[in-house]
């Protein structure tokens, strides 16, 4: 365990509860949040829709916090009118109609300016150039940083207005953001030169579009504010969806003039401020998936692990990102709406279902949008009712119930709250989804190694016990049993073959197939049927060889003289028995040592451990060498046989055996037989498991080949079953 923990620190994982690594190896479902875990958490504003003017697009830049880095283009349409669904324009057309220009070209536009006021003031993040390093630094929440960077592109950073002795704007009140209200509001006063008269105060609001719309009564157009009718609202939502379906997180910006005589700003109730707003526009932020995420999700699927995204973001945004990272199949649009809605839900939809209704779903949703902490808890419980073993990530203060309820709670080291970290079993120091995979691999490796260790130990014990018990049939003339192995020999073998070699097995690196087979079942534990059969077969095979070696020396090549009182003294014609014992002793010692090598993989040949080895004939040597500790402990045991057989006195008096000569040929032939037998058994297992093996089931196939073939639309899609879909991912 301690070894495992140390390794994990280098792989961006802190293990807070030691047994959680082992548990991670058994995980069947991971529920991950999106922002910062699946994505980079470095947002940039890509689109800004100023309703009264049009849509600004921000070009690519390689530094998300550098406001000088990208060019901007402007179109007078709302975002919906130029989504790819509409008639696509050619690149040249686009460039001619809306050229990429530096941001300074757009300053001074009336509504853009008002929009920028909301963006920059309803914002706590700060963006500035570090004088020493000459690099751009940003502090604050990623969403707000992105918006502040956007404002700064137009030289509209907050600092410019609020710092200095005579700031032109001052903040009067703030109603902060949290994951439940999903919006924030501030009240600002603009500087007024002629005393109190003429001062203007504004309430600025931004937040999730639905939440901001709740507070808006009008919508700002060029010619003035228009009442927010159902149609207007629908138009806004349509535009939001157009942005969200490109994977953008969409926030709405709104404001209202504020006339209040109060000086006690802290006392104003939130409801009084957050109403009668005028909607000004939408802003679309892109948080690119981490480069590793898609690969990690695929690796999870290969390892039989289903990945769910539980996010606070909007459904369309979540869906677009889920497709990008492979949580949802790429051609999801070709599936029927029923299937899509079973794969992607909002928390509201999910929470509306009773527990029974959830249990009746053919599959649990792969994406839940607008997720609340409570929804996460329900999801864990639903998975548990399906006998799944769940890992759950969480960063928020309210995530602890879900983290505790999950079989493995995963906290975030960088963005996570301390409460969430305290409730978790492991913490990712880099907040990266891909690091979960590292710990799963480590968990599986540890579990495997415990299995190898136990298998080795028990098989060896069976071999010893059987050799001794069956060996009781060798009786001398007085009817006394002659032991094929002396007690000291047995103790020595146990000491030399199970201490260090078993420790060495604990250090075995993960075999290259740990992540391509399904998770193990923690309820069964290590004692699977396979392991039980294995240890019987190996134990009996070794015992048979040992007994044969004894019998061959005494009865085969010798005259069958079992002497007199040979368990104690070499006199009285025990020479032959003593030599036979040395032979059996050497056999058992070597077998038990070599068995450790054979245990490195339960099914693959020791002579072909990698699925795709570069050098067929030398690879066994590399296998022996890839775990030096194991190598040396086997070598040490192998060599100590010689002094123990040949040092006079030590051999006959302590170990009750005698030096051997021609008997070595028996040892060598039996060692070859030992390998052949075990390799043959493994070969049979490989054949068996190829036919009846436990295959990895991907989430797509778990959705059911039937589900897909029943629902998949026939229109031109090749996707007729789950296998097809799997191939596409
Ligand atoms: N600083 C903010 N001010 C106003 N609204 C915000 C702010 N940050 C986020 N929002 C809105 O609240 C929604 C949910 O945000 P929340 O923080 O709950 O999710 P998240 O934790 O960022 O996402 P995930 O759960 O995927 O990690 C966002 O989609 C956005 O619309
Ligand atoms: Na989050």
């Amino acid at each position: 365990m301690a070894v495992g923990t140390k390794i994990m620190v280098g792989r961006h994982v802190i293990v807070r509860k030691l047994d959680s690594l082992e548990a991670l190896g058994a995980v069947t479902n991971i529920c991950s949040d999106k922002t910062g875990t699946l994505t980079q958490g470095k947002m940039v504003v890509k689109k800004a829709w100023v309703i009264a003017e049009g849509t600004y697009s921000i070009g690519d830049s390689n530094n998300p916090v550098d406001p000088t880095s990208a060019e901007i283009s402007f179109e007078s349409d709302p975002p919906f009118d130029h989504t790819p669904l509409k008639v696509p324009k050619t690149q040249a057309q686009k460039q001619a109609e809306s050229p990429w220009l530096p941001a300074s070209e757009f300053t001074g536009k009336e509504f853009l300016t008002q929009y920028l006021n909301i963006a920059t003031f309803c914002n706590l993040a700060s963006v500035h150039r570090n004088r020493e390093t000459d690099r751009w630094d940003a502090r604050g929440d990623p969403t707000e940083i992105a918006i502040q960077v956007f404002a700064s592109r137009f030289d509209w950073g907050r600092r410019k207005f609020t710092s200095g002795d005579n700031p032109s704007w001052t903040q009067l009140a703030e109603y902060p953001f949290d994951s439940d209200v999903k919006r924030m509001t501030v009240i600002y006063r603009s500087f007024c030169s002629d005393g109190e008269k003429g001062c203007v105060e504004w309430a600025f609001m931004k937040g999730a579009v639905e939440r901001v719309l709740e507070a808006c009564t009008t919508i700002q157009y060029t010619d003035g504010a228009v009442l927010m009718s159902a149609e207007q609202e629908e138009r806004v939502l349509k535009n939001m969806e157009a942005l969200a379906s490109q994977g953008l997180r969409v926030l709405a910006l709104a404001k209202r003039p504020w006339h209040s005589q109060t000086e006690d700003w802290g006392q104003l109730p939130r409801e009084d401020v957050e109403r009668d707003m005028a909607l000004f526009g939408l802003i679309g932020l892109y948080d690119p998936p981490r480069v590793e995420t898609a690969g990690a999700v695929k690796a999870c699927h290969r390892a039989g692990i289903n990945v769910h995204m539980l996010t606070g973001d909007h459904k369309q945004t979540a869906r677009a990102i889920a497709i990008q990272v492979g949580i949802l199949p790429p051609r999801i649009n070709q599936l029927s709406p029923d299937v899509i809605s079973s794969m992607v839900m909002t928390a509201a939809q999910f929470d509306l279902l009773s527990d029974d209704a959830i249990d009746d779903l053919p599959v649990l949703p792969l994406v839940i949008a607008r997720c609340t902490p409570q929804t996460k808890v329900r999801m864990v419980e639903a998975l548990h009712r399906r006998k799944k073993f769940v890992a759950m990530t969480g960063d928020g203060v309210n995530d602890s119930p879900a983290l505790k309820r999950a079989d493995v709670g995963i906290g975030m080291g960088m963005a996570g709250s301390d409460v969430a970290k305290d409730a978790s079993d492991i913490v990712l120091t880099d907040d990266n989804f891909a690091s979960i995979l590292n710990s799963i691999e480590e968990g599986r490796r540890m579990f495997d190694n415990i299995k190898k260790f136990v298998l080795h130990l028990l098989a060896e014990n069976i071999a010893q016990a059987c050799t001794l018990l069956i060996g009781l049939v060798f009786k001398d003339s007085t009817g006394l049993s002659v032991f094929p192995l002396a007690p000291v020999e047995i103790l020595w073998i146990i000491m030399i073959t199970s201490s260090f070699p078993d420790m060495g097995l604990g250090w075995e690196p993960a075999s290259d197939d740990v992540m391509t087979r399904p998770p193990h079942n923690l309820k069964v534990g290590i004692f699977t049927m396979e392991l039980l059969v294995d240890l019987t077969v190996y134990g009996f095979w070794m015992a048979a060889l040992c007994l044969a070696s004894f019998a061959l020396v005494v009865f085969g090549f010798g005259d069958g003289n079992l002497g007199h009182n040979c368990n104690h003294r070499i006199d009285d014609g025990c020479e032959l028995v003593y030599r036979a014992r040395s032979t059996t002793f050497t056999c058992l010692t070597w077998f038990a040592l070599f068995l450790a090598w054979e245990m490195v993989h339960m099914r693959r040949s020791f002579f072909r451990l990698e699925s795709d080895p570069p050098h067929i004939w030398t690879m066994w040597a590399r296998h022996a060498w890839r775990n030096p500790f194991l190598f040396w402990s086997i070598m040490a045991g192998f060599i100590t046989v010689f002094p123990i057989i040949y040092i006079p006195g030590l051999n006959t008096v302590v170990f009750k055996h005698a030096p051997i000569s021609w008997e070595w040929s028996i040892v060598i032939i039996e060692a070859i037989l030992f390998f052949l037998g075990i390799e043959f058994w493994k070969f049979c297992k490989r054949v068996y498991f190829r036919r009846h093996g436990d295959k990895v089931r991907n989430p797509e196939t778990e959705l059911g080949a039937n589900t897909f073939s029943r629902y998949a639309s026939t229109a031109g899609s090749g996707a007729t079953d789950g296998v097809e879909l799997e191939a596409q991912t």
Side-chain angles (χ1 to χ4, degrees):
M1 284 297 189
V3 181
T5 314
K6 213 170 67 200
I7 293 172
M8 293 324 289
V9 177
R11 301 179 79 180
H12 309 296
V13 177
I14 295 170
V15 182
R16 299 186 68 243
K17 300 208 182 83
L18 271 184
D19 54 354
S20 59
L21 261 190
E22 203 189 316
L24 260 173
V27 157
T28 59
N29 292 67
I30 304 176
C31 299
S32 175
D33 58 355
K34 175 176 71 65
T35 309
T37 312
L38 294 166
T39 65
Q40 300 177 1
K42 288 184 197 137
M43 299 195 205
V44 279
V45 173
K46 281 298 196 186
K47 297 272 179 186
W49 180 37
V50 182
I51 298 173
E53 277 174 12
T55 311
Y56 295 83
S57 304
I58 290 82
D60 293 331
S61 91
N62 34 27
N63 182 358
V65 296
D66 178 358
T68 61
S69 61
E71 288 182 314
I72 291 175
S73 87
F74 173 76
E75 284 163 287
S76 52
D77 312 321
F80 180 76
D81 292 344
H82 43 91
T83 51
L85 299 172
K86 297 270 160 174
V87 198
K89 293 174 183 166
T90 66
Q91 213 53 35
Q93 263 175 321
K94 268 194 203 154
Q95 178 62 22
E97 282 172 31
S98 43
W100 291 102
L101 298 167
S104 55
E105 297 289 320
F106 300 99
T107 47
K109 294 179 83 168
E110 182 194 348
F111 290 100
L112 176 65
T113 306
Q114 298 192 37
Y115 181 99
L116 288 175
N117 278 343
I118 309 173
T120 198
F121 294 129
C122 187
N123 197 314
L124 305 177
S126 77
V127 176
H128 61 274
R129 186 174 220 131
N130 188 327
R131 289 224 166 69
E132 283 154 34
T133 61
D134 202 37
R135 283 223 308 258
W136 285 90
D137 275 347
R139 222 164 302 144
D141 172 79
T143 305
E144 306 209 331
I145 290 176
I147 297 175
Q148 191 61 231
V149 168
F150 170 75
S152 306
R153 294 187 193 282
F154 300 90
D155 194 21
W156 219 254
R158 194 172 64 259
R159 273 195 169 192
K160 176 174 148 186
F161 304 101
T162 57
S163 57
D165 292 338
N166 264 323
S168 50
W169 288 84
T170 43
Q171 181 181 317
L172 302 172
E174 182 201 328
Y175 300 88
F177 166 82
D178 75 49
S179 287
D180 283 325
V181 293
K182 288 190 168 48
R183 65 187 182 200
M184 89 177 259
T185 307
V186 292
I187 300 178
Y188 261 79
R189 170 183 290 161
S190 81
F191 174 73
C192 25
S193 46
D194 50 346
E196 286 304 299
K197 209 174 129 271
C199 272
V200 198
E201 281 137 23
W202 293 98
F204 298 128
M205 172 191 272
K206 78 165 190 315
V209 179
E210 318 93 272
R211 299 302 175 88
V212 172
L213 280 177
E214 284 164 14
C216 288
T217 46
T218 57
I219 178 166
Q220 183 69 45
Y221 283 103
T222 325
D223 316 322
V226 172
L227 219 59
M228 180 73 77
S229 61
E231 282 148 70
Q232 291 296 347
E233 198 171 319
E234 200 185 312
R235 180 164 183 261
V236 173
L237 291 176
K238 212 168 71 177
N239 280 292
M240 171 194 68
E241 299 217 342
L243 295 175
S245 57
Q246 302 166 34
L248 301 180
R249 157 175 288 199
V250 187
L251 275 74
L253 305 183
K255 73 169 183 175
R256 73 186 275 209
W258 186 256
H259 319 281
S260 163
Q261 299 314 311
T262 183
E263 285 305 313
D264 194 7
W265 293 103
Q267 293 305 305
L268 281 172
R270 191 163 189 152
E271 313 73 275
D272 285 358
V273 181
E274 294 188 326
R275 61 190 176 87
D276 299 333
M277 294 270 176
L279 185 72
F280 250 74
L282 303 181
I283 192 160
L285 293 72
Y286 188 54
D287 180 11
R290 289 174 183 269
V291 272
E292 314 90 321
T293 304
V297 170
K298 213 177 213 169
C300 283
H301 290 172
R302 268 201 302 273
I305 300 164
N306 289 6
V307 185
H308 307 260
M309 176 199 278
L310 308 187
T311 173
D313 231 324
H314 185 264
K315 189 166 160 181
Q316 293 295 340
T317 315
R319 181 174 139 170
I321 299 287
I323 293 172
Q324 285 176 22
V325 301
I327 289 178
L328 291 173
R331 299 212 197 154
I332 188 170
N333 286 327
Q334 293 169 351
L335 303 175
S336 84
D338 292 23
V339 181
I340 297 179
S341 65
S342 74
M343 293 200 277
V344 186
M345 283 191 186
T346 62
Q349 289 168 327
F350 188 75
D351 288 339
L352 222 58
L353 299 173
S354 66
D355 285 354
D356 289 337
I358 291 176
D359 293 344
D360 286 343
L361 292 176
V363 282
L364 287 177
L366 292 171
V367 173
I368 300 186
R370 288 293 188 233
C371 213
T372 61
Q374 190 50 37
T375 318
K376 293 190 179 184
V377 173
R378 288 200 76 207
M379 184 70 176
V380 176
E381 285 169 349
L383 284 163
H384 277 165
R385 288 197 300 275
R386 291 176 187 230
K387 305 270 176 291
K388 302 291 187 188
F389 205 73
V390 188
M392 163 82 67
T393 70
D395 49 13
V397 179
N398 305 329
D399 284 339
S400 15
L403 289 173
K404 285 201 182 119
R405 203 85 39 114
D407 300 293
V408 185
I410 303 174
M412 297 297 150
M414 279 167 16
S417 63
D418 289 342
V419 192
K421 277 186 239 178
D422 276 343
S424 53
D425 304 306
I426 68 167
V427 174
L428 306 181
T429 55
D430 61 351
D431 294 10
N432 189 342
F433 179 80
S435 302
I436 302 176
L437 219 66
N438 291 342
S439 38
I440 290 179
E441 186 181 338
E442 180 63 12
R444 290 188 175 192
R445 185 189 74 91
M446 282 169 57
F447 184 84
D448 274 7
N449 288 354
I450 292 172
K451 229 165 137 175
K452 294 170 191 169
F453 167 100
V454 168
L455 181 53
H456 179 249
L457 204 67
L458 292 184
E460 186 189 332
N461 284 353
I462 288 184
Q464 286 164 351
C466 289
T467 309
L468 288 180
L469 282 176
I470 301 174
L472 291 178
V473 302
F474 301 124
K475 291 199 170 130
D476 65 13
S477 50
T478 61
L480 217 68
S481 288
V482 178
F483 301 150
L485 286 167
V488 179
E489 286 181 320
I490 291 281
L491 290 178
W492 179 260
I493 292 175
I494 290 175
M495 197 178 84
I496 213 77
T497 63
S498 55
S499 56
F500 292 116
D502 282 341
M503 226 149 108
L505 281 177
W507 265 299
E508 258 307 302
S511 81
D512 61 8
D513 63 348
V514 267
M515 293 306 278
T516 53
R517 55 176 180 202
H520 52 256
N521 188 339
L522 266 197
K523 291 219 177 61
V524 179
I526 55 171
F527 289 99
T528 56
M529 189 47 86
E530 183 186 356
L531 182 123
L532 295 175
V533 175
D534 273 2
L535 67 90
T536 320
V537 169
Y538 298 150
F540 277 107
W541 179 232
M542 285 159 72
L545 288 172
C546 287
L547 288 166
S549 70
F550 188 83
L552 273 175
V553 175
V554 176
F555 304 105
F557 298 98
D559 54 6
N561 178 12
L562 287 172
H564 185 250
N565 204 10
C566 292
N567 291 343
H568 300 289
R569 290 181 299 118
I570 192 168
D571 322 321
D572 278 348
C574 287
E575 174 78 13
L576 185 61
V577 168
Y578 267 47
R579 292 174 72 110
R581 246 185 224 140
S582 283
T583 316
T584 310
F585 168 77
T586 311
C587 282
L588 187 53
T589 310
W590 284 7
F591 296 167
L593 290 169
F594 296 151
L595 185 67
W597 264 334
E598 283 286 354
M599 291 309 93
V600 162
H601 199 290
M602 281 183 69
R603 293 183 193 167
R604 286 195 192 148
S605 162
F606 171 65
F607 302 95
R608 198 195 167 109
L609 279 178
E610 292 147 275
S611 49
D612 202 7
H615 305 290
I616 302 281
W617 296 111
T618 56
M619 69 192 151
W620 63 272
R622 277 191 306 119
H623 299 154
W625 189 243
R626 71 174 189 166
N627 184 343
F629 188 92
L630 186 62
F631 178 83
W632 286 119
S633 45
I634 290 176
M635 276 306 134
F638 181 85
I639 288 165
T640 45
V641 160
F642 298 104
I644 283 176
I645 291 181
Y646 290 107
I647 292 178
L650 183 70
N651 51 14
T652 49
V653 178
V654 181
F655 281 87
K656 313 284 183 209
H657 58 204
I660 50 175
S661 53
W662 57 270
E663 290 90 341
W664 281 110
S665 51
I666 293 181
V667 173
I668 289 164
I669 289 169
E670 288 212 342
I672 293 170
L673 285 177
F674 165 82
F675 274 115
L676 285 180
I678 290 190
E679 289 293 347
F680 176 70
W681 174 248
K682 282 182 166 183
F683 170 77
C684 295
K685 289 210 308 177
R686 286 197 295 276
V687 171
Y688 174 83
F689 282 110
R690 213 159 359 200
R691 297 210 185 118
H692 312 275
D694 24 9
K695 288 264 159 50
V696 160
R697 294 165 69 208
N698 281 325
E700 289 85 8
T701 40
E702 188 179 309
L703 276 168
N706 299 334
T707 322
F708 273 135
S709 53
R710 241 185 307 136
Y711 290 119
S713 90
T714 45
S717 86
T720 45
D721 59 24
V723 181
E724 182 88 4
L725 268 146
E726 188 189 317
Q728 290 161 8
T729 48

